[in-house]
Amino acid sequence: MKELGMVLGGCFLIALFFVFKIHPTLEYTGYSSNSSCYGECYEEYVRINGTSVDILKAKQALAAGDPFSDIRSLWTGCAGCHGQQGQGMSVFPKLAGQNADYIVNKLNAYKNREQVGAMSSTMWAQADMLSAKQMDLIGDFIESGFPSE
């Protein structure tokens, strides 16, 4: 019982040391804050970045200028196997240079679980997640030569 009292007493002393010596001078630097910003802080944020509505409008304006904005995040998944410029990698075929109809037809075949090539089972799940609009956009994106943003 004496040992337990000594351990608890030591923990209490360490806690007191932390509360009175370390905590008052503890400062986080270089990390984003999770505290709310109000008053002068919020005014400065709005001066630099605009309101949340302004930020959203700016993002929408950028997306409106890019016809492929809806599928750019999808393309990163495709690029993981087919290469960033569709050049093909290992057993995954080259997509670059194909026309939109070819790509859309293949994606529809995969969506219908047709056997197209050796990696068909890999593509079944990928194509199953795509809408017809997304398939058309991916086809146009590939046919247009993978334009950058």
Side-chain angles (χ1 to χ4, degrees):
M1 191 70 174
K2 181 180 175 183
E3 292 87 6
L4 178 62
M6 290 175 61
V7 169
L8 290 176
C11 289
F12 182 71
L13 289 175
I14 291 172
L16 283 176
F17 179 76
F18 178 79
V19 168
F20 291 108
K21 290 291 184 185
I22 297 175
H23 188 268
T25 59
L26 193 61
E27 183 179 339
Y28 295 104
T29 59
Y31 301 102
S32 61
S33 173
N34 62 353
S35 63
S36 53
C37 179
Y38 54 90
E40 289 179 21
C41 172
Y42 181 72
E43 290 171 10
E44 179 69 11
Y45 176 84
V46 169
R47 187 184 67 73
I48 294 170
N49 302 303
T51 64
S52 56
V53 173
D54 295 335
I55 295 168
L56 180 60
K57 285 180 180 177
K59 286 181 181 180
Q60 289 172 339
L62 281 174
D66 180 12
F68 302 113
S69 64
D70 289 345
I71 56 102
R72 287 210 183 264
S73 61
L74 292 174
W75 175 251
T76 58
C78 303
C81 296
H82 294 282
Q84 193 60 38
Q85 295 300 313
Q87 70 272 19
M89 294 170 39
S90 183
V91 297
F92 300 99
K94 175 182 173 182
L95 300 178
Q98 300 292 349
N99 65 40
D101 290 336
Y102 174 84
I103 298 295
V104 172
N105 287 338
K106 292 293 183 184
L107 288 172
N108 279 317
Y110 288 129
K111 191 167 184 130
N112 295 326
R113 299 222 181 259
E114 295 175 20
Q115 188 72 28
V116 176
M119 300 305 292
S120 291
S121 61
T122 302
M123 283 300 300
W124 290 341
Q126 302 304 316
D128 198 41
M129 295 185 291
L130 300 174
S131 68
K133 180 184 175 191
Q134 289 171 326
M135 288 183 194
D136 290 339
L137 276 173
I138 290 172
D140 291 340
F141 181 72
I142 292 169
E143 184 174 356
S144 64
F146 311 95
S148 60
E149 294 179 82

PDB file of all heavy atoms in Angstrom, residues 75 78-79 81-83 85-89 92-100 102-103 106-107 110 123 138-139 141-143 145-146:
ATOM      1  N   TRP A  75      -9.454  10.302 -62.976  1.00  0.00           N
ATOM      2  CA  TRP A  75      -8.314   9.973 -63.830  1.00  0.00           C
ATOM      3  C   TRP A  75      -7.107   9.557 -63.001  1.00  0.00           C
ATOM      4  O   TRP A  75      -6.317   8.727 -63.441  1.00  0.00           O
ATOM      5  CB  TRP A  75      -7.958  11.121 -64.772  1.00  0.00           C
ATOM      6  CG  TRP A  75      -6.726  10.791 -65.541  1.00  0.00           C
ATOM      7  CD1 TRP A  75      -5.493  11.335 -65.403  1.00  0.00           C
ATOM      8  CD2 TRP A  75      -6.584   9.758 -66.522  1.00  0.00           C
ATOM      9  NE1 TRP A  75      -4.589  10.722 -66.244  1.00  0.00           N
ATOM     10  CE2 TRP A  75      -5.246   9.743 -66.944  1.00  0.00           C
ATOM     11  CE3 TRP A  75      -7.469   8.852 -67.087  1.00  0.00           C
ATOM     12  CZ2 TRP A  75      -4.771   8.864 -67.895  1.00  0.00           C
ATOM     13  CZ3 TRP A  75      -6.994   7.969 -68.040  1.00  0.00           C
ATOM     14  CH2 TRP A  75      -5.663   7.978 -68.439  1.00  0.00           C
ATOM     15  N   CYS A  78      -7.194   5.948 -62.761  1.00  0.00           N
ATOM     16  CA  CYS A  78      -6.842   5.319 -64.043  1.00  0.00           C
ATOM     17  C   CYS A  78      -5.332   5.380 -64.262  1.00  0.00           C
ATOM     18  O   CYS A  78      -4.715   4.413 -64.706  1.00  0.00           O
ATOM     19  CB  CYS A  78      -7.536   6.033 -65.199  1.00  0.00           C
ATOM     20  SG  CYS A  78      -9.327   6.121 -65.102  1.00  0.00           S
ATOM     21  N   ALA A  79      -4.758   6.556 -63.946  1.00  0.00           N
ATOM     22  CA  ALA A  79      -3.332   6.776 -64.181  1.00  0.00           C
ATOM     23  C   ALA A  79      -2.469   5.868 -63.321  1.00  0.00           C
ATOM     24  O   ALA A  79      -1.329   5.579 -63.685  1.00  0.00           O
ATOM     25  CB  ALA A  79      -2.983   8.240 -63.911  1.00  0.00           C
ATOM     26  N   CYS A  81      -2.638   2.778 -63.031  1.00  0.00           N
ATOM     27  CA  CYS A  81      -2.321   1.563 -63.791  1.00  0.00           C
ATOM     28  C   CYS A  81      -1.904   1.874 -65.238  1.00  0.00           C
ATOM     29  O   CYS A  81      -1.032   1.210 -65.775  1.00  0.00           O
ATOM     30  CB  CYS A  81      -3.524   0.631 -63.817  1.00  0.00           C
ATOM     31  SG  CYS A  81      -4.004   0.005 -62.195  1.00  0.00           S
ATOM     32  N   HIS A  82      -2.562   2.853 -65.843  1.00  0.00           N
ATOM     33  CA  HIS A  82      -2.328   3.126 -67.261  1.00  0.00           C
ATOM     34  C   HIS A  82      -1.287   4.208 -67.514  1.00  0.00           C
ATOM     35  O   HIS A  82      -0.960   4.484 -68.668  1.00  0.00           O
ATOM     36  CB  HIS A  82      -3.647   3.534 -67.937  1.00  0.00           C
ATOM     37  CG  HIS A  82      -4.657   2.436 -67.969  1.00  0.00           C
ATOM     38  ND1 HIS A  82      -4.606   1.392 -68.861  1.00  0.00           N
ATOM     39  CD2 HIS A  82      -5.746   2.213 -67.185  1.00  0.00           C
ATOM     40  CE1 HIS A  82      -5.625   0.578 -68.649  1.00  0.00           C
ATOM     41  NE2 HIS A  82      -6.326   1.049 -67.628  1.00  0.00           N
ATOM     42  N   GLY A  83      -0.770   4.848 -66.458  1.00  0.00           N
ATOM     43  CA  GLY A  83       0.220   5.909 -66.605  1.00  0.00           C
ATOM     44  C   GLY A  83      -0.432   7.270 -66.679  1.00  0.00           C
ATOM     45  O   GLY A  83      -1.563   7.399 -67.148  1.00  0.00           O
ATOM     46  N   GLN A  85       0.003   9.791 -68.554  1.00  0.00           N
ATOM     47  CA  GLN A  85      -0.370  10.213 -69.907  1.00  0.00           C
ATOM     48  C   GLN A  85      -0.969   9.059 -70.702  1.00  0.00           C
ATOM     49  O   GLN A  85      -0.981   9.086 -71.932  1.00  0.00           O
ATOM     50  CB  GLN A  85       0.850  10.786 -70.632  1.00  0.00           C
ATOM     51  CG  GLN A  85       1.373  12.065 -70.008  1.00  0.00           C
ATOM     52  CD  GLN A  85       0.321  13.172 -70.012  1.00  0.00           C
ATOM     53  OE1 GLN A  85      -0.323  13.417 -71.020  1.00  0.00           O
ATOM     54  NE2 GLN A  85       0.148  13.818 -68.879  1.00  0.00           N
ATOM     55  N   GLY A  86      -1.455   8.021 -69.994  1.00  0.00           N
ATOM     56  CA  GLY A  86      -2.101   6.902 -70.657  1.00  0.00           C
ATOM     57  C   GLY A  86      -1.167   6.061 -71.491  1.00  0.00           C
ATOM     58  O   GLY A  86      -1.599   5.358 -72.408  1.00  0.00           O
ATOM     59  N   GLN A  87       0.123   6.103 -71.173  1.00  0.00           N
ATOM     60  CA  GLN A  87       1.120   5.406 -71.984  1.00  0.00           C
ATOM     61  C   GLN A  87       1.118   3.898 -71.770  1.00  0.00           C
ATOM     62  O   GLN A  87       1.774   3.167 -72.496  1.00  0.00           O
ATOM     63  CB  GLN A  87       2.524   5.977 -71.708  1.00  0.00           C
ATOM     64  CG  GLN A  87       3.091   5.667 -70.338  1.00  0.00           C
ATOM     65  CD  GLN A  87       2.726   6.672 -69.257  1.00  0.00           C
ATOM     66  OE1 GLN A  87       1.776   7.430 -69.393  1.00  0.00           O
ATOM     67  NE2 GLN A  87       3.453   6.657 -68.167  1.00  0.00           N
ATOM     68  N   GLY A  88       0.375   3.413 -70.786  1.00  0.00           N
ATOM     69  CA  GLY A  88       0.350   1.982 -70.484  1.00  0.00           C
ATOM     70  C   GLY A  88       1.516   1.600 -69.598  1.00  0.00           C
ATOM     71  O   GLY A  88       2.586   2.198 -69.676  1.00  0.00           O
ATOM     72  N   MET A  89       1.274   0.648 -68.728  1.00  0.00           N
ATOM     73  CA  MET A  89       2.317   0.201 -67.809  1.00  0.00           C
ATOM     74  C   MET A  89       2.153  -1.294 -67.592  1.00  0.00           C
ATOM     75  O   MET A  89       1.048  -1.771 -67.370  1.00  0.00           O
ATOM     76  CB  MET A  89       2.195   0.928 -66.463  1.00  0.00           C
ATOM     77  CG  MET A  89       2.457   2.413 -66.555  1.00  0.00           C
ATOM     78  SD  MET A  89       2.073   3.387 -65.095  1.00  0.00           S
ATOM     79  CE  MET A  89       2.550   2.412 -63.734  1.00  0.00           C
ATOM     80  N   PHE A  92      -0.998  -3.347 -68.174  1.00  0.00           N
ATOM     81  CA  PHE A  92      -2.118  -2.441 -68.413  1.00  0.00           C
ATOM     82  C   PHE A  92      -1.925  -1.734 -69.747  1.00  0.00           C
ATOM     83  O   PHE A  92      -0.873  -1.150 -70.009  1.00  0.00           O
ATOM     84  CB  PHE A  92      -2.229  -1.429 -67.272  1.00  0.00           C
ATOM     85  CG  PHE A  92      -2.453  -2.103 -65.943  1.00  0.00           C
ATOM     86  CD1 PHE A  92      -1.407  -2.315 -65.073  1.00  0.00           C
ATOM     87  CD2 PHE A  92      -3.710  -2.567 -65.600  1.00  0.00           C
ATOM     88  CE1 PHE A  92      -1.603  -2.942 -63.862  1.00  0.00           C
ATOM     89  CE2 PHE A  92      -3.925  -3.196 -64.392  1.00  0.00           C
ATOM     90  CZ  PHE A  92      -2.868  -3.396 -63.516  1.00  0.00           C
ATOM     91  N   PRO A  93      -2.942  -1.769 -70.622  1.00  0.00           N
ATOM     92  CA  PRO A  93      -2.766  -1.267 -71.994  1.00  0.00           C
ATOM     93  C   PRO A  93      -2.646   0.250 -72.092  1.00  0.00           C
ATOM     94  O   PRO A  93      -3.063   0.992 -71.212  1.00  0.00           O
ATOM     95  CB  PRO A  93      -4.042  -1.745 -72.697  1.00  0.00           C
ATOM     96  CG  PRO A  93      -5.042  -1.910 -71.617  1.00  0.00           C
ATOM     97  CD  PRO A  93      -4.282  -2.306 -70.387  1.00  0.00           C
ATOM     98  N   LYS A  94      -2.091   0.650 -73.199  1.00  0.00           N
ATOM     99  CA  LYS A  94      -1.931   2.061 -73.539  1.00  0.00           C
ATOM    100  C   LYS A  94      -3.304   2.628 -73.912  1.00  0.00           C
ATOM    101  O   LYS A  94      -4.051   2.031 -74.687  1.00  0.00           O
ATOM    102  CB  LYS A  94      -0.975   2.178 -74.724  1.00  0.00           C
ATOM    103  CG  LYS A  94      -0.807   3.553 -75.262  1.00  0.00           C
ATOM    104  CD  LYS A  94       0.129   3.528 -76.467  1.00  0.00           C
ATOM    105  CE  LYS A  94       0.165   4.882 -77.125  1.00  0.00           C
ATOM    106  NZ  LYS A  94       1.005   4.884 -78.310  1.00  0.00           N
ATOM    107  N   LEU A  95      -3.636   3.785 -73.334  1.00  0.00           N
ATOM    108  CA  LEU A  95      -4.890   4.459 -73.668  1.00  0.00           C
ATOM    109  C   LEU A  95      -4.648   5.653 -74.587  1.00  0.00           C
ATOM    110  O   LEU A  95      -5.536   6.044 -75.344  1.00  0.00           O
ATOM    111  CB  LEU A  95      -5.595   4.938 -72.396  1.00  0.00           C
ATOM    112  CG  LEU A  95      -5.961   3.856 -71.382  1.00  0.00           C
ATOM    113  CD1 LEU A  95      -6.594   4.483 -70.153  1.00  0.00           C
ATOM    114  CD2 LEU A  95      -6.868   2.820 -71.993  1.00  0.00           C
ATOM    115  N   ALA A  96      -3.469   6.225 -74.512  1.00  0.00           N
ATOM    116  CA  ALA A  96      -3.141   7.400 -75.319  1.00  0.00           C
ATOM    117  C   ALA A  96      -3.317   7.083 -76.798  1.00  0.00           C
ATOM    118  O   ALA A  96      -2.947   6.005 -77.266  1.00  0.00           O
ATOM    119  CB  ALA A  96      -1.712   7.841 -75.039  1.00  0.00           C
ATOM    120  N   GLY A  97      -3.915   8.018 -77.512  1.00  0.00           N
ATOM    121  CA  GLY A  97      -4.112   7.840 -78.944  1.00  0.00           C
ATOM    122  C   GLY A  97      -5.423   7.158 -79.309  1.00  0.00           C
ATOM    123  O   GLY A  97      -5.782   7.115 -80.487  1.00  0.00           O
ATOM    124  N   GLN A  98      -6.131   6.636 -78.339  1.00  0.00           N
ATOM    125  CA  GLN A  98      -7.419   5.991 -78.624  1.00  0.00           C
ATOM    126  C   GLN A  98      -8.494   7.067 -78.779  1.00  0.00           C
ATOM    127  O   GLN A  98      -8.408   8.137 -78.200  1.00  0.00           O
ATOM    128  CB  GLN A  98      -7.815   5.048 -77.481  1.00  0.00           C
ATOM    129  CG  GLN A  98      -6.834   3.938 -77.229  1.00  0.00           C
ATOM    130  CD  GLN A  98      -6.782   2.924 -78.368  1.00  0.00           C
ATOM    131  OE1 GLN A  98      -7.620   2.916 -79.269  1.00  0.00           O
ATOM    132  NE2 GLN A  98      -5.780   2.076 -78.347  1.00  0.00           N
ATOM    133  N   ASN A  99      -9.541   6.743 -79.567  1.00  0.00           N
ATOM    134  CA  ASN A  99     -10.624   7.714 -79.700  1.00  0.00           C
ATOM    135  C   ASN A  99     -11.669   7.494 -78.606  1.00  0.00           C
ATOM    136  O   ASN A  99     -11.697   6.459 -77.942  1.00  0.00           O
ATOM    137  CB  ASN A  99     -11.245   7.683 -81.104  1.00  0.00           C
ATOM    138  CG  ASN A  99     -11.948   6.377 -81.409  1.00  0.00           C
ATOM    139  OD1 ASN A  99     -12.621   5.808 -80.553  1.00  0.00           O
ATOM    140  ND2 ASN A  99     -11.795   5.895 -82.626  1.00  0.00           N
ATOM    141  N   ALA A 100     -12.514   8.491 -78.426  1.00  0.00           N
ATOM    142  CA  ALA A 100     -13.492   8.477 -77.335  1.00  0.00           C
ATOM    143  C   ALA A 100     -14.455   7.295 -77.445  1.00  0.00           C
ATOM    144  O   ALA A 100     -14.780   6.655 -76.442  1.00  0.00           O
ATOM    145  CB  ALA A 100     -14.256   9.791 -77.296  1.00  0.00           C
ATOM    146  N   TYR A 102     -13.979   4.343 -78.736  1.00  0.00           N
ATOM    147  CA  TYR A 102     -13.293   3.112 -78.338  1.00  0.00           C
ATOM    148  C   TYR A 102     -13.249   2.992 -76.819  1.00  0.00           C
ATOM    149  O   TYR A 102     -13.569   1.939 -76.260  1.00  0.00           O
ATOM    150  CB  TYR A 102     -11.868   3.112 -78.916  1.00  0.00           C
ATOM    151  CG  TYR A 102     -11.024   1.955 -78.440  1.00  0.00           C
ATOM    152  CD1 TYR A 102     -11.100   0.718 -79.075  1.00  0.00           C
ATOM    153  CD2 TYR A 102     -10.158   2.097 -77.357  1.00  0.00           C
ATOM    154  CE1 TYR A 102     -10.336  -0.354 -78.635  1.00  0.00           C
ATOM    155  CE2 TYR A 102      -9.386   1.032 -76.909  1.00  0.00           C
ATOM    156  CZ  TYR A 102      -9.483  -0.184 -77.553  1.00  0.00           C
ATOM    157  OH  TYR A 102      -8.726  -1.242 -77.113  1.00  0.00           O
ATOM    158  N   ILE A 103     -12.866   4.072 -76.145  1.00  0.00           N
ATOM    159  CA  ILE A 103     -12.762   4.058 -74.683  1.00  0.00           C
ATOM    160  C   ILE A 103     -14.128   3.816 -74.056  1.00  0.00           C
ATOM    161  O   ILE A 103     -14.278   2.973 -73.157  1.00  0.00           O
ATOM    162  CB  ILE A 103     -12.154   5.387 -74.165  1.00  0.00           C
ATOM    163  CG1 ILE A 103     -10.730   5.574 -74.701  1.00  0.00           C
ATOM    164  CG2 ILE A 103     -12.213   5.470 -72.653  1.00  0.00           C
ATOM    165  CD1 ILE A 103      -9.728   4.564 -74.216  1.00  0.00           C
ATOM    166  N   LYS A 106     -15.258   0.200 -74.500  1.00  0.00           N
ATOM    167  CA  LYS A 106     -14.541  -0.706 -73.587  1.00  0.00           C
ATOM    168  C   LYS A 106     -15.060  -0.559 -72.163  1.00  0.00           C
ATOM    169  O   LYS A 106     -15.261  -1.552 -71.456  1.00  0.00           O
ATOM    170  CB  LYS A 106     -13.032  -0.434 -73.615  1.00  0.00           C
ATOM    171  CG  LYS A 106     -12.368  -0.794 -74.917  1.00  0.00           C
ATOM    172  CD  LYS A 106     -12.399  -2.275 -75.144  1.00  0.00           C
ATOM    173  CE  LYS A 106     -11.644  -2.595 -76.426  1.00  0.00           C
ATOM    174  NZ  LYS A 106     -11.701  -3.991 -76.792  1.00  0.00           N
ATOM    175  N   LEU A 107     -15.265   0.683 -71.707  1.00  0.00           N
ATOM    176  CA  LEU A 107     -15.773   0.893 -70.345  1.00  0.00           C
ATOM    177  C   LEU A 107     -17.159   0.287 -70.176  1.00  0.00           C
ATOM    178  O   LEU A 107     -17.463  -0.313 -69.135  1.00  0.00           O
ATOM    179  CB  LEU A 107     -15.786   2.384 -70.005  1.00  0.00           C
ATOM    180  CG  LEU A 107     -14.425   3.017 -69.766  1.00  0.00           C
ATOM    181  CD1 LEU A 107     -14.553   4.528 -69.634  1.00  0.00           C
ATOM    182  CD2 LEU A 107     -13.758   2.426 -68.535  1.00  0.00           C
ATOM    183  N   TYR A 110     -16.746  -3.436 -69.860  1.00  0.00           N
ATOM    184  CA  TYR A 110     -16.312  -3.773 -68.499  1.00  0.00           C
ATOM    185  C   TYR A 110     -17.467  -3.641 -67.505  1.00  0.00           C
ATOM    186  O   TYR A 110     -17.624  -4.463 -66.614  1.00  0.00           O
ATOM    187  CB  TYR A 110     -15.159  -2.872 -68.056  1.00  0.00           C
ATOM    188  CG  TYR A 110     -13.847  -3.171 -68.740  1.00  0.00           C
ATOM    189  CD1 TYR A 110     -13.116  -2.168 -69.350  1.00  0.00           C
ATOM    190  CD2 TYR A 110     -13.320  -4.461 -68.761  1.00  0.00           C
ATOM    191  CE1 TYR A 110     -11.901  -2.432 -69.956  1.00  0.00           C
ATOM    192  CE2 TYR A 110     -12.106  -4.736 -69.367  1.00  0.00           C
ATOM    193  CZ  TYR A 110     -11.405  -3.715 -69.972  1.00  0.00           C
ATOM    194  OH  TYR A 110     -10.211  -3.991 -70.567  1.00  0.00           O
ATOM    195  N   MET A 123     -10.885  -4.229 -64.095  1.00  0.00           N
ATOM    196  CA  MET A 123     -11.644  -3.113 -64.645  1.00  0.00           C
ATOM    197  C   MET A 123     -13.144  -3.209 -64.361  1.00  0.00           C
ATOM    198  O   MET A 123     -13.832  -2.192 -64.406  1.00  0.00           O
ATOM    199  CB  MET A 123     -11.415  -3.026 -66.166  1.00  0.00           C
ATOM    200  CG  MET A 123     -10.094  -2.416 -66.536  1.00  0.00           C
ATOM    201  SD  MET A 123      -9.880  -0.731 -65.928  1.00  0.00           S
ATOM    202  CE  MET A 123     -11.227   0.113 -66.716  1.00  0.00           C
ATOM    203  N   ILE A 138     -14.374  10.762 -69.740  1.00  0.00           N
ATOM    204  CA  ILE A 138     -13.072  10.078 -69.753  1.00  0.00           C
ATOM    205  C   ILE A 138     -12.641   9.805 -71.186  1.00  0.00           C
ATOM    206  O   ILE A 138     -11.482  10.005 -71.550  1.00  0.00           O
ATOM    207  CB  ILE A 138     -13.120   8.789 -68.910  1.00  0.00           C
ATOM    208  CG1 ILE A 138     -13.221   9.151 -67.426  1.00  0.00           C
ATOM    209  CG2 ILE A 138     -11.896   7.917 -69.164  1.00  0.00           C
ATOM    210  CD1 ILE A 138     -13.463   7.973 -66.516  1.00  0.00           C
ATOM    211  N   GLY A 139     -13.572   9.352 -72.018  1.00  0.00           N
ATOM    212  CA  GLY A 139     -13.260   9.123 -73.426  1.00  0.00           C
ATOM    213  C   GLY A 139     -12.793  10.387 -74.120  1.00  0.00           C
ATOM    214  O   GLY A 139     -11.787  10.393 -74.839  1.00  0.00           O
ATOM    215  N   PHE A 141     -11.534  13.044 -72.666  1.00  0.00           N
ATOM    216  CA  PHE A 141     -10.279  13.442 -72.030  1.00  0.00           C
ATOM    217  C   PHE A 141      -9.104  12.706 -72.667  1.00  0.00           C
ATOM    218  O   PHE A 141      -8.084  13.307 -73.004  1.00  0.00           O
ATOM    219  CB  PHE A 141     -10.360  13.149 -70.531  1.00  0.00           C
ATOM    220  CG  PHE A 141      -9.145  13.538 -69.743  1.00  0.00           C
ATOM    221  CD1 PHE A 141      -8.852  14.860 -69.498  1.00  0.00           C
ATOM    222  CD2 PHE A 141      -8.306  12.568 -69.219  1.00  0.00           C
ATOM    223  CE1 PHE A 141      -7.742  15.222 -68.750  1.00  0.00           C
ATOM    224  CE2 PHE A 141      -7.196  12.913 -68.479  1.00  0.00           C
ATOM    225  CZ  PHE A 141      -6.918  14.252 -68.237  1.00  0.00           C
ATOM    226  N   ILE A 142      -9.263  11.410 -72.861  1.00  0.00           N
ATOM    227  CA  ILE A 142      -8.195  10.609 -73.459  1.00  0.00           C
ATOM    228  C   ILE A 142      -7.994  11.000 -74.920  1.00  0.00           C
ATOM    229  O   ILE A 142      -6.860  11.169 -75.381  1.00  0.00           O
ATOM    230  CB  ILE A 142      -8.501   9.109 -73.307  1.00  0.00           C
ATOM    231  CG1 ILE A 142      -8.410   8.717 -71.827  1.00  0.00           C
ATOM    232  CG2 ILE A 142      -7.572   8.265 -74.163  1.00  0.00           C
ATOM    233  CD1 ILE A 142      -8.942   7.333 -71.505  1.00  0.00           C
ATOM    234  N   GLU A 143      -9.093  11.174 -75.659  1.00  0.00           N
ATOM    235  CA  GLU A 143      -8.985  11.535 -77.076  1.00  0.00           C
ATOM    236  C   GLU A 143      -8.335  12.907 -77.249  1.00  0.00           C
ATOM    237  O   GLU A 143      -7.577  13.128 -78.204  1.00  0.00           O
ATOM    238  CB  GLU A 143     -10.371  11.546 -77.721  1.00  0.00           C
ATOM    239  CG  GLU A 143     -10.327  11.808 -79.207  1.00  0.00           C
ATOM    240  CD  GLU A 143     -11.690  11.679 -79.862  1.00  0.00           C
ATOM    241  OE1 GLU A 143     -12.676  11.319 -79.189  1.00  0.00           O
ATOM    242  OE2 GLU A 143     -11.769  11.934 -81.077  1.00  0.00           O
ATOM    243  N   GLY A 145      -5.990  14.154 -75.570  1.00  0.00           N
ATOM    244  CA  GLY A 145      -4.560  14.139 -75.264  1.00  0.00           C
ATOM    245  C   GLY A 145      -4.212  14.545 -73.843  1.00  0.00           C
ATOM    246  O   GLY A 145      -3.143  15.080 -73.609  1.00  0.00           O
ATOM    247  N   PHE A 146      -5.130  14.336 -72.890  1.00  0.00           N
ATOM    248  CA  PHE A 146      -4.870  14.577 -71.467  1.00  0.00           C
ATOM    249  C   PHE A 146      -4.478  16.028 -71.187  1.00  0.00           C
ATOM    250  O   PHE A 146      -3.402  16.311 -70.686  1.00  0.00           O
ATOM    251  CB  PHE A 146      -3.759  13.654 -70.941  1.00  0.00           C
ATOM    252  CG  PHE A 146      -3.960  12.226 -71.316  1.00  0.00           C
ATOM    253  CD1 PHE A 146      -3.355  11.686 -72.444  1.00  0.00           C
ATOM    254  CD2 PHE A 146      -4.756  11.404 -70.549  1.00  0.00           C
ATOM    255  CE1 PHE A 146      -3.554  10.372 -72.795  1.00  0.00           C
ATOM    256  CE2 PHE A 146      -4.955  10.075 -70.895  1.00  0.00           C
ATOM    257  CZ  PHE A 146      -4.353   9.558 -72.015  1.00  0.00           C
TER     258      PHE A 146
END
